[in-house]
């Protein structure tokens, strides 16, 4: 049973793209001045091919 589980784990890792190109992280910081005073923004994200995912804090 352990051999089957180990074989399945190796197959899963090989099929999930572990050997593919890494994703490229991105980050940015912004400072703005407005009626409410000085504001800051922070953005982080990753991009792989045409897909981009980001979070703005």
């Amino acid at each position: 049973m352990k051999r089957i589980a180990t074989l399945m784990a190796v197959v899963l890792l090989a099929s999930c793209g572990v050997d593919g190109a890494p994703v490229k992280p991105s980050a940015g910081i912004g400072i703005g001045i407005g009626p409410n005073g000085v504001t800051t923004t922070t953005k982080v994200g990753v991009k792989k091919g045409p897909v981009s995912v980001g979070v703005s804090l």
Side-chain angles (χ1 to χ4, degrees):
M1 190 67 174
K2 287 183 182 181
R3 287 184 183 182
I4 294 173
T6 303
L7 179 62
M8 293 300 288
V10 169
V11 169
L12 178 68
L13 283 176
S15 67
C16 75
V18 172
D19 59 343
V23 294
K24 187 174 186 180
S26 61
I29 298 174
I31 299 174
I33 300 174
N36 295 329
V38 177
T39 59
T40 60
T41 58
T42 306
K43 297 179 183 180
V44 293
V46 293
K47 182 176 182 179
K48 180 166 182 156
V51 178
S52 178
V53 178
V55 176
S56 181
L57 306 171

